[in-house]
Each structure stands twice: as structure tokens, then as C-alpha cells.
Amino acid sequence: MLIARVIGTLVSTQKEPTIEGLRLLVCQPLNAEGEKVGAAVIAADAVGAGVGEVILFATGSSARQTVATQNRPVDAVVMAIVDHWEVAGKTKYRKSDD
Amino acid sequence: MLIARVIGTLVSTQKEPTIEGLRLLVCQPLNAEGEKVGAAVIAADAVGAGVGEVILFATGSSARQTVATQNRPVDAVVMAIVDHWEVAGKTKYRKSDD
Amino acid sequence: MLIARVIGTLVSTQKEPTIEGLRLLVCQPLNAEGEKVGAAVIAADAVGAGVGEVILFATGSSARQTVATQNRPVDAVVMAIVDHWEVAGKTKYRKSDD
Amino acid sequence: MLIARVIGTLVSTQKEPTIEGLRLLVCQPLNAEGEKVGAAVIAADAVGAGVGEVILFATGSSARQTVATQNRPVDAVVMAIVDHWEVAGKTKYRKSDD
Amino acid sequence: MLIARVIGTLVSTQKEPTIEGLRLLVCQPLNAEGEKVGAAVIAADAVGAGVGEVILFATGSSARQTVATQNRPVDAVVMAIVDHWEVAGKTKYRKSDD
């Protein structure tokens, strides 16, 4: 999985019927220091994540292992909201400080 | 999924029988600012997208989760046409303004 | 899928029994302008492609969705020979001109 | 698989119910010389790896082939702790020297 | 698939029980000219490849399509030893000359 910040939302009316009702989030991947890395990915939301939150997303067939995304043409899913992470004993992010 | 603009079409006569009838679109991936990023991908069309439109495409096994692409040797599918997306409260793209 | 030119062939005697009989092609990916991009990939041939031809190849589990490659440890397959593609109304490649 | 060093841990309370109980590790990929390469990946732990240890992780659908991760939206798993590796007859890493 | 040279071996004692007995090879990917490209990958051996040999490896779910790797958390497998390949009619590698 990759850490990312939800930076926005995307809306589509004309789409595969099976993805009806899925929220689509614009996710900016972050490295372990919390810095932006690479281009944004659009992921389906499986956990009720909001804009501004730091989340984990899974890609590939693993993105279809949630109730929200099963058997749907979705290759990225937000499957966790991050509380905190630490590297070498130092907290790099804490949701309550965000 | 990645955002992309459909910039062209591709035609093949000699091909796997199972992909007969699929429209193949030349898709230029875009970042969250709507700028080109990376090389073009050829994706099968599952939603009737046209050249010039901004779309979402899914890759990998997820690209086979549409009626059009099921059990076919296709690793990228256009599964939604984008209406609009916004980042940090600012609209970055709106189809009606395009 | 990615566009590529078949630039060569590869031969292996000692291999997984299940890939016996598969032709292995050296494929150089191309961007939408027809320029080389990235390193060569070795793909199994499912359509009778020859050296010099411009083709499409699919990767991942989708590469096993052909009669030639089913249930085999193959992660890239040539599944179409390209006739032509165009970008923004201009032909970028036409097989008959190649 | 890629070699990585476990450099930290990540905690999430609000998440897909199916990933309840999984330990999430911050993994920094290493090249064959043991040098850092690319951004950190968050992987589920299937072998009881600790912070500071050098491990192997698998990605994609292969990440779901452990008891800990089966049918879960997890795209990276730590599936081995590295004892040692060598390149061209020279030991590049040995756990007991770490 | 990608061409690679087996440059070393890796040993792990504490690991997922299902990968017991698999040989793990350090593989350096090569481009069509035989030059190193990208970081090393650790692949399971399905063909009895030795250090120094030039091989093909497959990744993703395709890496589990061998007897040695079926249903195991393995995302890369050596599935062929390369005899020779040629590009534009010129031999780029021949095992007997190696």
C-alpha cells in the first residue's frame, strides 16, 4: 500500500454501471517523510475518507477485495485512514496534529 | 485509476479473436493539475468515450471487470468519462468548459 | 496496452514445460508519436507477429487471456498487430507505409 | 520480490473491517548493494518482522497468498526475513552482522 | 517478461511456511542491448538457474503459474534460461559465448 493525502474529489456521470455510487477520491501519494511523491491517483473510497485526510490505498486486484469494490473495474481503493506512523522511533504524522 | 485525455484511436485487423469489436483509444495520462504525465496508454473503451474527452482508465485485472472486456487479453479500460474534479476546493477541470 | 515494435526474437531451451512452443518476441515500447520509450519487454506471441512489425502488447494477468498463454507463467503477450493509429486527427503510423 | 528494511510502523483505526488485526510496516526498498531505492511501501506483516529487520516483500495478488492476508485489500506483504544475500560471491548483507 | 542476469542468491530462515524449499535468486534486469537497467529483483527459481546465467523472469500473478510457485506469496519467478536473443538480425547474447 502507499500513503497518500486525499486532495480532492472527482465526479463522473457517464460510466460503467457497476461503479455507480462509488465515491472517487483524488489521492496524492506521500513518502515516509510525508512528502509528495509521483502523480495523483484516483481511488474508490471504501472507508468514508474525506478531503484532507491521510489514508492508505491498495492497487491492482487487491483493490477489489472490499464490499464496495468487488467485481468492479476499479484498480485503486482507499482501505484505511491513517492515525499515525513513525520511522526510526520518530512520529512522522499524527492525525490529531494535522 | 488515472485521469487521461483521449487523444486518438488505434486500429488493428490481425488480432486475438476475443478482442474483435473493441474500440481502442490512445489515452494520455494527466496529473491532478490536468498536465500530461508519462507516455500514452492504449485502452479499450467500455463507456463510449470520444476523442478529446477526459476519462478515467483502470489497469491490470480490473480492466477485465466490464462486460466489454471480460476474459479478454486487455490490461487497460476506459470505465468513466470525467465531468469534473477539484483539488483543495478549486475546480481543475469541468467538462462543460472544455 | 502499450504500442511496441518487434525488434527481435529470443530463444530458450531450458524452461518451464508449460511455455514449450511459445514464440518469444523482443518488443520495444513506443509512445503516441512512435518514439522509443523505456526498456524492451519480452512478450509471448499470440497473433503471428513478425520482426519489424508494430504491435500491441498486454501485461499482467491479462497476458494469460489468450489460447496460447492460458495458465502459463507469461506476463506479456502480443495480442494485436497495429494497422494504424492517429492522434488529434493526424496519422502517426500506418502499416502500409512502414 | 524486493528487499527492504522495515523502518517503522503505521497505525489505522478507521479501516476496512477485513484488515483488522494486521500489523502494517513501513518498508524502505533496497537494491542489491543494500542501498535505499525508491519510496517507502506499507506492507502487511505475515512473518513477525520487527523494525530494523531486512525483509522480502511481495506485491500485487501474490500479497494475498498468506493466511494473514487472504481475501483482504492488501497489495504488499512481508513474507520472509532475510538472513543473508550475496552478489558475485561477496556477502552484501548478513543478519547476524546487522 | 524481462531479461536478467542472476547475480546472486538470498537465504531466509524465518518465512511464510508455503515458500519453504524455494530457491531465491538475485536478478539484475537487462535491456535489449544486454545492459543493466533498474534495481535487482528477487525471484523464485522454477528452472534450476545458476548464478551468472541470463534468464527470463515473469512477475505478478503470472509468477504463480509454475509447479514451484503455485498459491505461494511469490511475485517474480525465473521461468526460462536464455540461449540467445537477437535484435535487428544481430545476436546480442549467446549463452555458449558467455
Side-chain angles (χ1 to χ4, degrees), chain E residues 48-88:
Chain E
V51 174
E53 287 192 300
V54 172
I55 54 87
L56 283 187
F57 70 96
T59 58
S61 58
S62 299
R64 301 197 307 273
Q65 309 293 316
T66 75
V67 173
T69 56
Q70 212 171 3
N71 299 327
R72 297 177 180 192
V74 162
D75 65 7
V77 72
V78 175
M79 30 60 83
I81 296 173
V82 175
D83 286 336
H84 57 89
W85 83 80
E86 59 176 54
V87 171

Side-chain angles (χ1 to χ4, degrees), chain E residues 11-94:
Chain E
V11 173
S12 164
T13 311
Q14 191 174 338
K15 57 193 167 190
E16 257 281 308
T18 54
I19 63 167
E20 199 70 47
L22 277 182
R23 282 182 69 226
L24 297 173
L25 302 174
V26 184
C27 299
Q28 172 60 57
L30 305 176
N31 65 16
E33 296 300 313
E35 299 156 346
K36 298 181 187 183
V37 57
V41 167
I42 310 301
D45 177 29
V47 292
V51 174
E53 287 192 300
V54 172
I55 54 87
L56 283 187
F57 70 96
T59 58
S61 58
S62 299
R64 301 197 307 273
Q65 309 293 316
T66 75
V67 173
T69 56
Q70 212 171 3
N71 299 327
R72 297 177 180 192
V74 162
D75 65 7
V77 72
V78 175
M79 30 60 83
I81 296 173
V82 175
D83 286 336
H84 57 89
W85 83 80
E86 59 176 54
V87 171
K90 296 182 69 170
T91 300
K92 294 294 177 178
Y93 170 83
R94 185 174 296 277

Side-chain angles (χ1 to χ4, degrees), chain C residues 48-62:
Chain C
V51 174
E53 286 191 300
V54 172
I55 54 87
L56 283 188
F57 70 96
T59 59
S61 59
S62 298

Side-chain angles (χ1 to χ4, degrees), chain A residues 32 86-89, chain D residues 2-10 23-30 36 40-57 77-82 93 95 98:
Chain A
E86 59 176 54
V87 170
Chain D
L2 293 177
I3 303 170
R5 189 179 289 271
V6 179
I7 59 170
T9 56
L10 182 146
R23 281 182 71 225
L24 298 173
L25 302 174
V26 184
C27 299
Q28 172 59 58
L30 305 176
K36 298 181 187 184
V41 167
I42 310 301
D45 177 29
V47 292
V51 174
E53 287 191 300
V54 172
I55 54 88
L56 283 187
F57 70 95
V77 73
V78 175
M79 28 62 82
I81 296 173
V82 176
Y93 169 84
K95 187 177 164 61
D98 205 15

Side-chain angles (χ1 to χ4, degrees), chain A residues 59-76:
Chain A
T59 59
S61 59
S62 299
R64 300 197 308 274
Q65 308 294 316
T66 75
V67 173
T69 56
Q70 209 172 7
N71 300 325
R72 297 177 179 192
V74 162
D75 65 7

Side-chain angles (χ1 to χ4, degrees), chain A residues 46-47 79-81, chain D residues 12-22 24:
Chain A
V47 292
M79 29 61 84
I81 296 174
Chain D
S12 164
T13 312
Q14 191 174 337
K15 57 192 167 189
E16 257 281 309
T18 55
I19 63 167
E20 198 70 47
L22 277 181
L24 298 173

